[in-house]
Amino acid sequence: MSEVSLISTHNPEAIPYEEKLIASPYDVQIWIDYIDSVETALDPLRETVRKKKGHNDQAFKETIETLSLSRVILYERALRLLPGSYKLWRAYLTVLMEGFKSRDESYYFKVKTQQQGNPAASANSISPKYTSGNFAILRSAFERSLHGAAETKVRVMRRYVVFDPAEKEEFSDLLHSLSRHGEAASVLAECVDDPAFISPKGSSTHDLWIRLCDLCSRHPIETKGHVDFEGIVRAGLDERSGAYDGKFKEMEGTLWCKLADFYTRSGDFERARGVYEEGLEKVGRVKDFGTVFDAYSRFEENCLEAKVAMGEDSDDSDDDSDDGEGGAGGVEMTDELKELLNIQQGKDGNDVELALARAEYLMERRPLLLNGVLLRQNPHNVGEWMKRRDLFLNMEGDAGGHLPAIKALEDGVKTVEGRKAVNGFPSDIWIALANLYEENEDIEGARRTYGRVCTGREYNFSDLDDLAKCYCSWVEMELRMEDWEGAMDAARESVAVPADYGFQGQQRAGGNKKKGGQVQRGLHRSIRLWNLYLDLEESLGTFESTKSAYLKCVELGVSTPQVVLNYAAFLEEHKYFEEAFAAFEKGLGLFYFPQKHAKPIWVKYLERFHERYKGTKVERSRELYERCLEKCPPDDISEFMMQYAKFEEDYGLAKRALSVYERCAVAVPEEEKLKAYQLYIAKTEAFYGATRTRTIYEAAIAACADADSAKLCLQYSDLEKSLGEIDRARAALKYGAQLCDPAREPVYWTRWHDFEVSFGNEETFRDMLRIKRSVQAAFSTVNYNAEQMDGQVKNLTDAEAVAMIEREEGLAEGEGGSRVSGFVKSGASTPAATGKRKAGEMGANNDIAALERQAQKIREAQKQGDEPEAGEGGDEEIDIDDL
C-alpha cells in the first residue's frame, strides 16, 4: 500500500460514523462504536483465514491489512482528541498487544518451517523485525498513554512495587516529583522500617533517613497526615529504640534542628521552641550543641525581625514591599505564619519586647547550657559542677542566685560517684553546698548538710581524705560562728575510735589493724583530723584533755614527727620537762633511724636536753648521743658528731672530744672526709700541739680520695717545714707526687718546685724533675691507652705499665740502676691504679734515720745509673738560681 486513506472503503458503516463525528468529535461512545464497526468487518475475514490456512489471495490479504490499519488510525484520531480517555487507551493497547503476539507467532511459524528447526536462526530473524520495530511502537504507545496522567503513573507504580519492593525508592522519587510529598514520605518510611530493603541505587539506611527527614521538614503540612515525623526522629535519637542507628549520634544536632524546622514551617512556633530547648538539654557533644544553638538563635532573631517588621507595617495593610522571606528559622513568611506571629501583639508592643527578651535570655543562658553538655559527657566531672554553681550565682533574675546554685550542687552530690570523680574531689561539692547555705544565712541548713555527709554517711567516699575534709570544713564553720563547743564536738566525733576497733600487740606507726572494709571506718587515723583536733585542744581545751589527746594520737600510731615535736613543746611550755623528754622517747619509738623522720626528733631532743641540763647530766647526754649515733645514716652522722664533740669540749674531756672527731672522720661519706680530717687535725693541734698531728695526717692521706690526699700532703709538708723537718717535708711531697698529674695539677708541682728552690740542692732538684717526668709519662701512657683502645688494642695492666716506665727511665733491673725515690715497688699499685701506697708503708719509714738511709741508697743508685756511656756527653749542669 503506497497510500493509506483515513476512511476505509471496506467498512460500509464508515460514512455514517464520520458524519456523527463531525457533529460530536469529543463523544467517546461514537469513537468506540466506530472502531467496533471495523472489528465487525474484520471478524468474517479472519474466520476465513483460519479455515483456509493455505489461502494465498493477495487482494484478500490487502483487505485485512487495510481494515487493521484503519482501526489503528481510528484509535490515533480518537486519542488525539481525547488523550485522557481510559477506555480508548485500554482498547488501543490491547489491540497492539494482540497484533504483536499474532504477528510474532505467524512469523516464527513461517521461519521455523523454512529453517527446519534452527532456533538460533529463528531468533536472529525475529529480533530485528519485531523486537526493535513493533515492540518499540508498543512501548511508545504505553508511554503516550501514561504521559500527563499522574494518577495513572502512581497507580501503576504502586502495583509494581508490590511485585518488586526494591523499586519503592524510585516510587518515592516519582511521588516527590509529582509534589505528592506525604505519600513520598510514607513510602520512604516503609523503606527505612524494612530491614531487608536493599536500594538499587546503593543508598544506605542512613541516607534514606536523611532524605525522609529533609522531605518532612521541608513539607510538614503535606507529610503530617502520612508519617509521624516526630516519632521517627525521636526513635532515631533514642539509643534504646530498635530504630536507633549509631551513625545518628554524629548528627544528633542536625536531627533536632530538622524536627524544630518541621514545626516552624508548620507555623507551630511554640512547639519549635520546645524542640530547640529539648535539643539543647539532650545533645551530648559540643559540636551538636553549637548546631542547635545557632539554629535556635537564628529562629529567635528572625521572629524578632518579623514582629518588628509587622509592627511597622501595621498601619499600612496594603503595603506589599515584603518579599515573603526572612521568616522564622529561614521559613517563608506566609500570611498564615504572619498571623500566627501577630497573635497577642498589643498596642504597647509587648509582643516585640517579649521576643527581644527571649533572644537575650537565650544568649545569657548559653554558658549554662554548654555546661550541661559537658556534664552529660561526663557527669562525674567535679570541676564542671563547681562551674555550674558559679554560673547560677552570676545569673541575674529568678533564674540565678543561691537557690538554683544549691539545687545544682544537690544534683551534683547525687550524680558524682567517688571512684569516677575527675577534675576535683567529691568533698569539694559537699563543702561548696554547705558554704552556699552559710552564705545564704541558713546555718542550720549548712549543719544539716555536714551532718548528712559526716554523721549520716550519706555519701560513700572512695578516699578517706575526702571525708576528713568535710569534717575539717564543718569545724571551721563552727569556729566562724563562734560555737566553740560545737567545733570541739565535731572534732572529737571525727577522731572517735569505732567500738569494734582493736589493737594487736605493740604497734608502730601505721601498724594498727582495723576491722571492717569501709573507708569511713578508718577515719580516726586521719592525720588531717588529728592535727585539727590537737590544735583545738591546745586552744580551747584544758591541759589534761590536751595531754590525753596527744597520748591517744601516739597510741594509735598516727602521729607525725611534727605532732611529736608539738607535744613535747606543749609539755615544756607547761614546765613538764621530763614528760617532754618522755614524749621525745615515744616519738623515737615510732620514728627511728634509718627513717628520715627520726632526724628532726633527735635534733630537737638533744637541743632541748642540753638547754635544760647543760653539763649537769653528762653521762645521760653521752648515752643519748651514743644511741643516736648507733644507727644514724652516714649522710646525717656528721651533724650529730659535731654536736657530740662540741658537748665534750664544753662539758667533758678533750680526749673524748678528739675521739669523737676521729670517729666522725672515719664514719662520714668520702666526699666529707677531707673537711672532717682537717677539723680533727686542727682540734688536735689546738689541744696537744703540731707533733701529735703526724699520725692523723698519715691516716687521712690513706683514707681520703687521691685529690684530697694530695692536698693533705701539701699541708703535711707545710707542717714539717714549719717544724724544720725538711726531709720529712720532702718525703710528704714525694708521696703526694704520684697522685698528681702535672698536666692537670700544676699547683702541686709549683709548690714542690718552690720548696726545692728554697730548701733543696742540685741533687734533690734533679730528683724532683726525674719524678715529675716519670709521673707525667705514667699518666700520659694510661690516658693514651684509654683513648686509643678499640677492639684490637689491649689496655696495659698495672705491672706492664710499671715495666714500661722503668724501660723509658733506664731503671729496670739489669741496666744497673735502682728506682727513683718516691715511687712504689713494681709489686705495689701504680698511679694508674690506686695512685698511692698503703698507710702502713709510710708509717714504717716514719723516723728520720730510716728516711736518711733511704735517701743515701737513692743517691748511690742514681750515681751508678746515671754514668754516661762511651761517646755520650754527661748530664747537663743545672743552676738552681737560673730555675
Side-chain angles (χ1 to χ4, degrees):
M1 297 176 61
S2 60
E3 186 176 337
V4 179
S5 175
L6 294 178
I7 301 174
S8 176
T9 58
H10 300 282
N11 183 8
E13 299 181 6
I15 300 300
Y17 281 111
E18 289 292 341
E19 292 175 353
K20 293 179 182 180
L21 289 176
I22 293 174
S24 301
Y26 298 101
D27 191 338
V28 177
Q29 190 60 41
I30 296 175
W31 284 105
I32 293 176
D33 294 342
Y34 190 4
I35 295 171
D36 289 342
S37 67
V38 177
E39 290 287 344
T40 303
L42 278 172
D43 287 340
L45 297 177
R46 291 178 184 143
E47 185 67 22
T48 303
V49 171
R50 281 197 298 271
K51 290 180 179 180
K52 299 179 180 180
K53 295 183 178 180
H55 189 72
N56 293 323
D57 189 355
Q58 186 66 25
F60 188 77
K61 291 183 178 180
E62 288 181 358
T63 300
I64 294 176
E65 290 180 2
T66 301
L67 288 174
S68 299
L69 185 57
S70 65
R71 181 179 55 177
V72 173
I73 292 173
L74 285 176
Y75 275 118
E76 291 288 344
R77 289 173 58 193
L79 289 173
R80 285 183 182 180
L81 295 174
L82 299 168
S85 175
Y86 174 75
K87 291 182 179 182
L88 289 174
W89 275 114
R90 179 176 177 80
Y92 183 33
L93 293 174
T94 303
V95 169
L96 289 178
M97 288 291 294
E98 291 176 353
F100 176 78
K101 291 179 180 180
S102 63
R103 294 171 70 107
D104 188 13
E105 291 173 358
S106 62
Y107 185 78
Y108 179 76
F109 176 79
K110 182 176 64 176
V111 172
K112 183 176 181 180
T113 57
Q114 293 177 357
Q115 298 285 337
Q116 295 298 323
N118 189 346
S122 300
N124 292 335
S125 302
I126 291 171
S127 178
K129 183 175 181 180
Y130 290 99
T131 303
S132 62
N134 292 358
F135 187 73
I137 296 173
L138 180 61
R139 177 184 292 174
S140 176
F142 270 106
E143 291 177 353
R144 287 166 53 206
S145 68
L146 295 175
H147 181 71
E151 185 63 29
T152 305
K153 294 181 182 179
V154 171
R155 292 185 179 184
V156 171
M157 281 298 294
R158 182 175 288 115
R159 293 179 181 180
Y160 182 69
V161 296
V162 174
F163 169 74
D164 188 3
E167 294 298 327
K168 286 185 179 181
E169 184 180 4
E170 184 68 27
F171 185 27
S172 175
D173 294 340
L174 173 62
L175 293 171
H176 181 58
S177 65
L178 297 175
S179 299
R180 302 175 70 163
H181 306 297
E183 297 181 46
S186 179
V187 174
L188 268 180
E190 293 177 4
C191 297
V192 170
D193 292 338
D194 185 5
F197 177 78
I198 300 176
S199 172
K201 298 181 179 179
S203 301
S204 63
T205 305
H206 180 266
D207 297 334
L208 297 176
W209 266 91
I210 301 305
R211 289 176 57 185
L212 177 60
C213 293
D214 290 338
L215 182 60
C216 293
S217 62
R218 292 175 182 175
H219 308 282
I221 298 176
E222 296 91 333
T223 60
K224 186 175 294 185
H226 293 80
V227 294
D228 182 11
F229 180 59
E230 182 173 359
I232 292 174
V233 172
R234 293 188 182 279
L237 294 173
D238 188 1
E239 297 183 6
R240 297 170 297 180
S241 171
Y244 176 76
D245 188 348
K247 297 180 180 179
F248 293 146
K249 197 66 178 177
E250 301 296 326
M251 53 174 301
E252 186 179 6
T254 303
L255 291 180
W256 283 112
C257 291
K258 289 187 179 297
L259 181 57
D261 194 20
F262 174 82
Y263 287 112
T264 301
R265 294 175 183 271
S266 300
D268 193 351
F269 295 151
E270 291 303 323
R271 192 73 176 272
R273 285 192 182 92
V275 171
Y276 279 126
E277 290 288 346
E278 185 179 0
L280 292 176
E281 292 292 337
K282 289 188 176 181
V283 292
R285 299 192 313 164
V286 176
K287 177 182 178 181
D288 294 325
F289 170 81
T291 302
V292 178
F293 186 85
D294 292 343
Y296 192 10
S297 60
R298 286 196 301 270
F299 168 81
E300 292 293 355
E301 290 173 3
N302 290 334
C303 285
L304 178 61
E305 292 175 1
K307 291 181 185 238
V308 171
M310 285 188 294
E312 293 176 353
D313 298 341
S314 60
D315 296 335
D316 187 4
S317 59
D318 297 332
D319 187 2
D320 297 333
S321 61
D322 190 1
D323 59 357
E325 299 296 332
V331 182
E332 183 180 357
M333 292 299 297
T334 62
D335 294 338
E336 182 181 358
L337 298 185
K338 290 180 181 179
E339 182 179 356
L340 290 171
L341 283 172
N342 203 26
I343 293 177
Q344 296 181 353
Q345 182 178 10
K347 296 181 179 180
D348 54 356
N350 288 335
D351 199 33
V352 175
E353 294 178 2
L354 178 60
L356 180 60
R358 281 175 174 166
E360 292 177 351
Y361 182 57
L362 175 63
M363 300 306 297
E364 182 182 355
R365 289 187 302 135
R366 187 182 188 281
L368 188 64
L369 295 171
L370 180 59
N371 173 260
V373 175
L374 298 177
L375 286 176
R376 284 191 291 277
Q377 289 180 350
N378 184 5
H380 308 287
N381 192 328
V382 177
E384 290 300 327
W385 283 110
M386 303 299 288
K387 184 178 180 180
R388 191 171 187 82
R389 174 205 60 179
D390 297 336
L391 291 173
F392 276 117
L393 290 176
N394 295 330
M395 287 183 65
E396 299 179 355
D398 297 336
H402 284 82
L403 294 181
I406 290 174
K407 184 180 182 303
L409 291 184
E410 287 286 358
D411 294 338
V413 298
K414 295 176 183 177
T415 304
V416 177
E417 297 180 14
R419 296 184 182 276
K420 298 180 181 180
V422 296
N423 196 20
F425 303 96
S427 58
D428 298 339
I429 303 180
W430 283 100
I431 295 172
L433 179 59
N435 290 339
L436 283 178
Y437 280 112
E438 183 181 355
E439 293 172 3
N440 203 30
E441 299 181 356
D442 186 0
I443 304 303
E444 292 303 322
R447 289 193 176 105
R448 286 195 302 271
T449 301
Y450 284 122
R452 288 163 54 193
V453 67
C454 298
T455 306
R457 307 292 167 87
E458 180 178 317
Y459 190 86
N460 186 21
F461 291 103
S462 62
D463 189 358
L464 177 67
D465 197 50
D466 281 331
L467 184 56
K469 290 178 183 179
C470 293
Y471 265 110
C472 291
S473 181
W474 188 4
V475 172
E476 292 170 359
M477 186 200 71
E478 297 294 354
L479 293 177
R480 289 193 296 271
M481 297 296 106
E482 299 183 358
D483 185 358
W484 318 124
E485 191 62 29
M488 288 297 297
D489 291 342
R492 290 192 186 99
E493 179 185 341
S494 66
V495 296
V497 180
D500 56 349
Y501 182 86
F503 297 95
Q504 297 180 0
Q506 183 69 25
Q507 303 292 337
R508 293 192 180 275
N512 294 324
K513 306 297 182 182
K514 63 178 181 179
K515 299 178 181 178
Q518 296 181 0
V519 172
Q520 288 84 347
R521 298 182 60 82
L523 186 66
H524 63 284
R525 297 181 57 82
S526 171
I527 296 176
R528 181 192 298 272
L529 292 177
W530 272 106
N531 288 335
L532 177 62
Y533 176 47
L534 295 173
D535 288 343
L536 288 178
E537 284 289 357
E538 287 196 35
S539 303
L540 304 176
T542 63
F543 172 78
E544 292 299 330
S545 64
T546 305
K547 178 181 175 182
S548 176
Y550 273 113
L551 287 174
K552 186 177 179 181
C553 180
V554 175
E555 179 185 5
L556 289 173
V558 296
S559 61
T560 62
Q562 188 60 47
V563 170
V564 174
L565 298 178
N566 293 343
Y567 183 25
F570 170 76
L571 292 173
E572 286 185 11
E573 183 180 349
H574 291 81
K575 309 302 181 184
Y576 289 86
F577 297 104
E578 285 300 327
E579 293 191 21
F581 299 147
F584 280 121
E585 292 291 345
K586 289 181 180 293
L588 291 173
L590 296 174
F591 306 99
Y592 47 88
F593 284 130
Q595 297 181 22
K596 63 179 181 180
H597 302 296
K599 180 179 179 181
I601 300 179
W602 272 113
V603 170
K604 185 60 68 174
Y605 186 13
L606 296 172
E607 177 186 338
R608 306 309 295 173
F609 191 87
H610 290 331
E611 290 182 2
R612 173 64 180 166
Y613 294 112
K614 298 187 184 301
T616 58
K617 296 189 177 183
V618 177
E619 291 302 325
R620 186 173 173 184
S621 298
R622 287 172 178 166
E623 181 186 358
L624 288 178
Y625 276 115
E626 292 298 336
R627 284 175 51 200
C628 176
L629 297 175
E630 182 180 0
K631 295 183 179 180
C632 182
D635 294 339
D636 300 327
I637 199 170
S638 60
E639 180 178 351
F640 294 105
M641 285 287 190
M642 295 298 104
Q643 293 181 13
Y644 190 11
K646 184 67 170 58
F647 170 78
E648 291 291 354
E649 288 183 33
D650 294 340
Y651 306 109
L653 302 175
K655 182 179 180 181
R656 281 184 172 274
L658 293 179
S659 175
V660 174
Y661 283 122
E662 182 180 7
R663 291 170 58 187
C664 177
V666 173
V668 296
E670 184 175 359
E671 59 271 11
E672 299 181 12
K673 284 185 178 294
L674 176 60
K675 293 183 179 179
Y677 271 109
Q678 288 176 339
L679 179 60
Y680 180 25
I681 291 170
K683 293 294 183 179
T684 303
E685 185 175 358
F687 286 127
Y688 296 108
T691 56
R692 291 287 296 271
T693 62
R694 286 172 174 163
T695 57
I696 302 175
Y697 271 115
E698 293 174 4
I701 292 171
C704 292
D706 290 353
D708 296 337
S709 297
K711 296 178 182 178
L712 289 172
C713 287
L714 290 177
Q715 295 178 11
Y716 191 15
S717 175
D718 292 341
L719 172 66
E720 296 293 355
K721 183 174 62 176
S722 64
L723 296 176
E725 300 290 344
I726 303 302
D727 290 339
R728 297 178 68 92
R730 183 177 290 109
L733 291 173
K734 287 182 179 181
Y735 181 81
Q738 61 182 322
L739 309 177
C740 298
D741 183 0
R744 298 183 179 181
E745 302 290 342
V747 176
Y748 187 92
W749 295 94
T750 301
R751 293 280 297 277
W752 192 4
H753 176 276
D754 295 341
F755 173 82
E756 294 297 347
V757 170
S758 301
F759 303 100
N761 52 37
E762 179 180 351
E763 184 178 350
T764 60
F765 192 84
R766 186 185 298 277
D767 190 22
M768 184 268 294
L769 292 179
R770 183 178 297 277
I771 292 173
K772 181 178 181 181
R773 186 169 60 252
S774 299
V775 170
Q776 188 172 9
F779 276 104
S780 299
T781 302
V782 173
N783 292 338
Y784 175 81
N785 285 333
E787 293 175 359
Q788 299 297 328
M789 183 180 63
D790 55 18
Q792 300 177 352
V793 179
K794 181 180 178 182
N795 198 2
L796 296 178
T797 62
D798 295 343
E800 291 172 344
V802 173
M804 182 189 67
I805 295 173
E806 291 175 347
R807 289 194 301 270
E808 291 179 353
E809 294 296 325
L811 299 176
E813 295 181 359
E815 294 183 3
S818 180
R819 304 190 177 279
V820 178
S821 176
F823 278 82
V824 296
K825 297 179 180 180
S826 60
S829 57
T830 66
T834 60
K836 57 191 176 189
R837 67 183 75 176
K838 303 292 184 180
E841 292 178 343
M842 188 172 182
N845 299 317
N846 194 27
D847 57 285
I848 297 177
L851 288 174
E852 290 178 350
R853 289 193 299 271
Q854 183 181 8
Q856 182 63 28
K857 291 179 181 180
I858 292 174
R859 293 190 193 100
E860 294 176 358
Q862 289 176 345
K863 289 179 181 180
Q864 296 176 1
D866 293 343
E867 292 181 358
E869 298 181 358
E872 294 183 359
D875 294 337
E876 296 181 357
E877 295 292 334
I878 299 177
D879 191 352
I880 294 179
D881 295 334
D882 294 338
L883 297 174

